[in-house]
Amino acid sequence: ERQALAAEERVDIEHLLACIRPLPPDSKCESLLEALAELHGDGYDQVMVFTQYTDTMDFLRDQLSGRGSGRIMCFSGRGGEIPSADGTWRTVGRDEAKRRFRDREADTLLCTDAAAEGLNFQFCGAVINYDMPWNPMRVEQRIGRIDRVGQQHATIRIVNLHYEGTVETDVYRALRSRIGLFETVVGRLQPILAELPQAITRAVLPAAAQLGASSADIVADIESRASEAQAGAGFDIDAVVSDHLTIPERPRSPVTMDDLNRVISDPDLLPQGTEIQPLGRREYGLLAPGMTEPVRATTDPAYYEEHPESVELWSPGSPLFKPPEFLPRADQLPSSQTLKDILEL
């Protein structure tokens, strides 16, 4: 009986493969190649491409590698992956993957939502969503990897790829044009949009078809609930932030990280009893009075950004930062004087 089932299953698989072979090239993959070429042509040298599944990422990796689409890296739940000389892919750590992409060792980073959790890429100016998750807040998390303080591009580009005629495409388009999706996703719409995956599931899965609704019904329901939320009473923190909160301009600090590096490099300029051991470029082992073990500290913000869990940034605000008492605070310095001037006296 088992042999009969195995033979039947083999026949079914061969039939499916025979049906697939005549199909034209994947249209979405072709659109991805066009989007990458357009972004690179517009000056966006590095692009992040998000997929929902690792299998999809692997498929795109093979497709792009076989067409000479520039240098490629991957990041998923398996970690970072880079190509080897023999054509295989080698796994690297999380920090190493980010460092390589930041150092422009790849033009395209193919990734799953694992890269949308805790990795910051403000040096990259474009994101392509190859797969659109049914929860719009996950798209917002992806965009948040590059749309953050320190972004080096004046304008970031977000490209969303959809298949025509699908429920999720109709829903996303309607939400974006009619209720300003992504402009209001952080506000009162958040709990409403969180239910969107279940609504789309009921609409597209055959087993739930009798319970489902059309894309128009889904959008109408969300629009109705969104209007009620906007009209309801209560404190709207988003409205307060956007309408009333302004960030004042702050003068440039007269003390630079280079100045602080000169201080931490000279034991005579540190509080008495502080021990410093150089570990690398702008990286030190710091042992202050009262501490039982030294702590890794750096005066390089970029290095700290790569290793926030294992190193401290030695700057005002850090509990490790205890400048000598004879040095004035930055806000006490005259505008024409800097810490550098003091140290050169």
Side-chain angles (χ1 to χ4, degrees):
E1 182 179 352
R2 290 184 179 179
Q3 292 180 345
L5 290 174
E8 182 179 349
E9 184 177 274
R10 185 162 48 250
V11 171
D12 290 340
I13 293 175
E14 291 175 351
H15 175 69
L16 289 174
L17 291 175
C19 293
I20 292 173
R21 289 189 185 100
L23 293 176
D26 189 297
S27 59
K28 185 186 277 193
C29 184
E30 297 298 320
S31 296
L32 172 63
L33 291 169
E34 294 173 2
L36 286 171
E38 179 182 348
L39 289 170
H40 291 322
D42 290 342
Y44 293 87
D45 299 330
Q46 294 182 286
V47 181
M48 296 181 67
V49 179
F50 278 96
T51 68
Q52 191 162 356
Y53 302 105
T54 305
D55 287 345
T56 307
M57 183 191 76
D58 292 342
F59 164 74
L60 293 179
R61 180 170 71 186
D62 294 339
Q63 292 294 312
L64 270 61
S65 299
R67 303 196 190 192
S69 301
R71 300 167 302 169
I72 301 169
M73 284 180 52
C74 298
F75 192 92
S76 66
R78 300 188 302 237
E81 293 173 290
I82 59 176
S84 300
D86 60 0
T88 61
W89 290 82
R90 179 167 63 89
T91 301
V92 296
R94 183 185 185 90
D95 291 341
E96 176 70 6
K98 180 180 177 180
R99 182 198 65 77
R100 286 176 175 270
F101 194 48
R102 182 187 59 116
D103 291 347
R104 299 182 177 274
E105 295 185 19
D107 309 309
T108 302
L109 177 63
L110 299 174
C111 50
T112 65
D113 285 313
E117 301 173 359
L119 287 176
N120 302 328
F121 297 91
Q122 52 265 55
F123 50 85
C124 177
V127 162
I128 297 178
N129 289 304
Y130 187 83
D131 294 324
M132 297 297 293
W134 289 353
N135 189 338
M137 289 182 288
R138 289 178 58 189
V139 180
E140 185 73 10
Q141 289 175 339
R142 296 175 177 182
I143 297 173
R145 296 308 92 207
I146 68 171
D147 185 17
R148 55 193 313 108
V149 175
Q151 171 56 240
Q152 300 172 9
H153 293 76
T155 302
I156 63 172
R157 293 277 294 276
I158 309 298
V159 179
N160 299 325
L161 300 181
H162 301 273
Y163 280 117
E164 288 286 355
T166 61
V167 172
E168 59 264 33
T169 296
D170 295 340
V171 170
Y172 264 105
R173 284 178 173 172
L175 291 178
R176 180 176 180 180
S177 62
R178 289 155 65 176
I179 69 172
L181 182 63
F182 301 128
E183 285 87 2
T184 56
V185 70
V186 180
R188 295 178 177 177
L189 293 184
Q190 198 171 55
I192 300 172
L193 295 177
E195 301 176 8
L196 188 56
Q198 290 77 17
I200 295 179
T201 299
R202 290 193 298 269
V204 301
L205 292 184
Q210 68 273 18
L211 303 175
S214 67
S215 56
D217 294 332
I218 296 173
V219 173
D221 178 62
I222 292 179
E223 281 186 315
S224 174
R225 296 174 63 185
S227 298
E228 294 176 1
Q230 295 294 337
F235 178 72
D236 187 350
I237 189 171
D238 290 334
V240 172
V241 170
S242 60
D243 296 339
H244 302 291
L245 182 61
T246 59
I247 301 177
E249 293 187 7
R250 296 177 178 175
R252 182 184 298 273
S253 173
V255 179
T256 68
M257 296 306 296
D258 289 337
D259 297 328
L260 295 181
N261 190 64
R262 293 179 60 187
V263 173
I264 197 173
S265 301
D266 190 340
D268 294 335
L269 298 175
L270 294 172
Q272 187 175 6
T274 302
E275 299 179 11
I276 295 294
Q277 178 186 3
L279 300 177
R281 181 184 176 276
R282 303 186 73 149
E283 182 184 4
Y284 308 89
L286 186 150
L287 182 63
M291 296 172 55
T292 57
E293 296 181 357
V295 175
R296 290 174 61 196
T298 181
T299 56
D300 184 348
Y303 184 80
Y304 169 73
E305 180 73 18
E306 293 180 7
H307 309 276
E309 298 179 357
S310 59
V311 68
E312 291 283 347
L313 183 64
W314 196 74
S315 65
S318 169
L320 294 179
F321 186 78
K322 297 180 180 179
E325 297 179 357
F326 68 84
L327 291 178
R329 299 195 313 269
D331 57 4
Q332 295 175 330
L333 292 173
S335 58
S336 61
Q337 187 181 29
T338 67
L339 179 58
K340 182 177 180 181
D341 298 325
I342 294 177
L343 295 177
E344 289 179 347
L345 292 178

